Amino acid sequence: MKGSGKARVSQLVAVSMMLGIAGPALAQDTSWAVGTWKGRVEGSREQDPNRVMTIAIAGGIAKCGWGEGFRANPPPAKSCTVSATGMTLTTGANNQVELRRSGSTLSGTFTATSGGGRTYNLTMKKE
């Protein structure tokens, strides 16, 4: 049959797209995140609501530091994931940080594991 090969290819492409089977994923640009970020946990009653976060990326893997105050070398975070649009982080005390990128600012939330798991607004700016 004439044209049946093209129809078959179109069907396979359509099925692949519906199943989420595609070619290799495009690498995300995470270079925007590299550096030192400083911010403040809004509404927190902690002694020092200021926070510092450092991000380095090597071989596509993010390594982050997170600390109270504006320390030069904050301790390592338990986990850290950076994407083209934002990042998530678990602190050494198991607090959760979720931030979305907007230019040179990150905005989102800091959820404390102690004190009933309260969530606070957090904004950070790149140094």
Side-chain angles (χ1 to χ4, degrees):
M1 274 188 212
K2 202 171 191 179
S4 64
K6 286 183 182 179
R8 182 74 179 141
V9 169
S10 294
Q11 289 173 341
L12 289 173
V13 168
V15 168
S16 295
M17 290 174 67
M18 287 188 307
L19 295 175
I21 304 168
L26 296 174
Q28 293 189 27
D29 178 19
T30 56
S31 62
W32 63 267
V34 174
T36 300
W37 297 80
K38 291 183 178 180
R40 183 177 183 87
V41 178
E42 299 300 327
S44 172
R45 293 192 173 110
E46 292 187 31
Q47 205 167 18
D48 189 351
N50 295 318
R51 296 293 183 271
V52 63
M53 175 175 64
T54 57
I55 301 175
I57 298 177
I61 306 291
K63 295 189 190 269
C64 299
W66 178 265
E68 294 179 4
F70 291 144
R71 302 179 194 186
N73 295 307
K78 283 191 176 179
S79 68
C80 177
T81 303
V82 177
S83 72
T85 59
M87 56 95 51
T88 60
L89 178 143
T90 301
T91 71
N94 291 319
N95 299 314
Q96 300 299 310
V97 177
E98 295 183 24
L99 298 166
R100 304 292 283 164
R101 175 183 173 204
S102 179
S104 63
T105 302
L106 293 173
S107 299
T109 58
F110 172 90
T111 303
T113 54
S114 61
R118 289 196 57 192
T119 298
Y120 302 93
N121 289 327
L122 172 66
T123 301
M124 302 193 89
K125 293 192 185 265
K126 194 170 188 180
E127 287 282 295

